[in-house]
């Protein structure tokens, strides 16, 4: 059965697309058949983070409006053939997304036998964000340990609990997961940053992963390779843990406490 | 006066994270008011319980407060019934 997972946050710039790219790639690494869809019509970016921007011929809106078939528009990942990307349109406006159109694409992906459809939500709570979450079975709520991000995440949780098909159909609630990104344990220790415990206490949803603030994230986006594919990067390892946890594996949280490193081990790069 | 000036120059380590947490708690509590967070039967449940309570105690419309909260993935139904102050003579 196909599971639809929305990656959402309300606030922009907190790591939704980074998370979508690594989450989808991680599922594909584990042999799942995955499609990842960019819902940010007009401001597409997932293609860049996935490194397939030059291979976009048809996009999500083309498929919805019947100008291309789903198969034509799905871009097969270079490394993982079971991973497919559906880019957002760069030229159309958000009105091009319709509930019927989105539903049809999702149903077609279902009948194509996809295990997971990852919906990369745009920032905000407007049409694109609404449609990205509307059909979801589970939600990754991406949050930075920062007041405006936490507040926006709480807003989004309110929408997930009221404005989705599962709610309208009286089905089981969307399963919500917290993904705390840009976490800096040293600053938490100094009392300069909200801790994981602070954020989970306020948002009251279980944590799926904590991604440390990391230079690897910018490096990987520069190169167009999802950070999860870099096994030496702390953020990559954190995303790897996150995907395993999502699939039910028990993995303790890492990178949430300050590592005491001697100068010597720093020199050794250990 | 001189002491005040000293205080001004001293860099006191402020725990801004705690400040953030307290501010967020207030903002989020406000945000959650009137949010339909919980099953659809909630208003009806509230009304029926109010009617039952009113059989025994004279309470105002606002006496029964029901909320569904999500704690560590568990849904908790929290109910508060405020009884009027009793006058004992």
């Amino acid at each position: 059965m196909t599971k639809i997972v929305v990656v959402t946050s309300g606030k922009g710039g907190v790591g939704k697309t980074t998370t979508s790219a690594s989450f989808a790639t991680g599922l594909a690494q584990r042999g799942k058949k995955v499609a990842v869809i960019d819902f940010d019509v007009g401001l597409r970016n997932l293609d860049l983070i996935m490194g397939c921007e030059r291979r976009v011929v048809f996009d999500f809106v083309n498929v919805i409006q019947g100008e291309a078939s789903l198969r034509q528009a799905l871009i097969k990942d270079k490394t993982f053939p079971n991973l497919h990307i559906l880019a957002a349109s760069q030229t159309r406006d958000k009105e091009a997304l319709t509930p019927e159109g989105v539903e049809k694409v999702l149903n077609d992906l279902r009948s194509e036998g996809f295990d997971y459809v990852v919906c990369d939500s745009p920032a905000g709570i407007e049409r694109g964000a609404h449609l990205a979450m509307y059909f979801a079975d589970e939600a990754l709520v991406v949050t930075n340990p920062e007041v405006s991000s936490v507040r926006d995440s709480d807003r989004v949780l309110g929408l997930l609990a009221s404005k989705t098909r599962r709610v309208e159909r009286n089905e089981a609630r969307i399963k919500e997961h917290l993904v705390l990104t840009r976490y800096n344990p040293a600053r938490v220790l100094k009392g300069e940053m909200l801790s994981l415990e602070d954020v989970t206490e306020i948002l009251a949803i279980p944590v799926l992963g904590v991604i440390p603030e990391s230079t690897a994230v910018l490096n990987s986006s520069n190169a167009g390779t999802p950070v999860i594919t870099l096994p030496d990067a702390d953020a990559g390892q954190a995303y790897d843990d996150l995907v395993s946890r999502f699939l039910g594996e028990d993995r303790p949280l890492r990178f949430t406490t300050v590592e005491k490193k001697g100068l010597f081990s720093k020199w050794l790069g250990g | 006066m001189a002491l005040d000036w000293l205080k001004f120059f001293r860099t006191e380590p402020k725990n801004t994270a705690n400040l953030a947490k307290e501010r967020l708690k207030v903002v989020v509590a406000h945000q959650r008011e009137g949010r339909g967070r919980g099953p659809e039967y909630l208003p009806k449940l509230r009304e029926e319980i109010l009617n039952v309570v009113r059989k025994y105690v004279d309470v105002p419309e606002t006496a029964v407060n029901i909320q569904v909260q999500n704690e560590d993935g568990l849904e908790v139904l929290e109910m508060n019934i405020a009884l009027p102050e009793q006058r004992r003579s």
Side-chain angles (χ1 to χ4, degrees), chain A residues 58-195:
Chain A
F58 296 112
D59 58 54
F60 195 14
V61 172
N62 290 141
V63 178
I64 284 178
Q65 301 193 336
E67 295 153 357
S69 71
L70 182 60
R71 281 182 190 209
Q72 282 176 309
L74 283 176
I75 303 163
K76 198 186 273 187
D77 186 76
K78 272 188 228 157
T79 320
F80 305 100
N82 48 330
L83 173 59
H84 300 260
I85 300 119
L86 187 52
S89 170
Q90 186 70 305
T91 49
R92 313 295 182 85
D93 61 76
K94 290 185 172 64
E95 306 308 307
L97 288 187
T98 59
E100 299 76 26
V102 174
E103 185 175 21
K104 183 170 186 308
V105 170
L106 293 176
N107 283 341
D108 289 351
L109 289 168
R110 258 184 243 276
S111 42
E112 292 278 334
F114 278 86
D115 297 308
Y116 291 94
V117 178
V118 179
C119 302
D120 182 19
S121 173
I125 50 175
E126 307 302 319
R127 191 187 191 95
H130 171 66
L131 284 174
M133 72 169 67
Y134 184 74
F135 299 98
D137 302 306
E138 304 202 24
L140 307 194
V141 180
V142 183
T143 309
N144 286 172
E146 185 264 321
V147 282
S148 52
S149 174
V150 177
R151 179 204 246 180
D152 289 358
S153 291
D154 183 70
R155 266 290 266 147
V156 161
L157 287 171
L159 297 176
L160 285 169
S162 59
K163 299 273 193 290
T164 58
R165 189 165 72 167
R166 277 178 171 267
V167 178
E168 284 172 12
R169 287 186 173 179
N170 244 332
E171 293 171 346
R173 277 179 66 148
I174 289 180
K175 205 170 166 191
E176 300 148 341
H177 308 272
L178 175 67
V179 179
L180 192 60
T181 53
R182 292 197 156 172
Y183 197 63
N184 187 331
R187 301 199 71 185
V188 171
L189 198 66
K190 281 194 236 166
E192 293 176 357
M193 185 181 267
L194 287 164
S195 69

Side-chain angles (χ1 to χ4, degrees), chain A residues 194 201-202, chain B residues 16-27:
Chain A
L194 287 164
E201 189 189 324
I202 291 162
Chain B
T16 55
N18 280 344
L19 197 60
K21 189 182 175 187
E22 292 314 311
R23 292 174 62 216
L24 269 171
K25 275 186 176 172
V26 175
V27 154

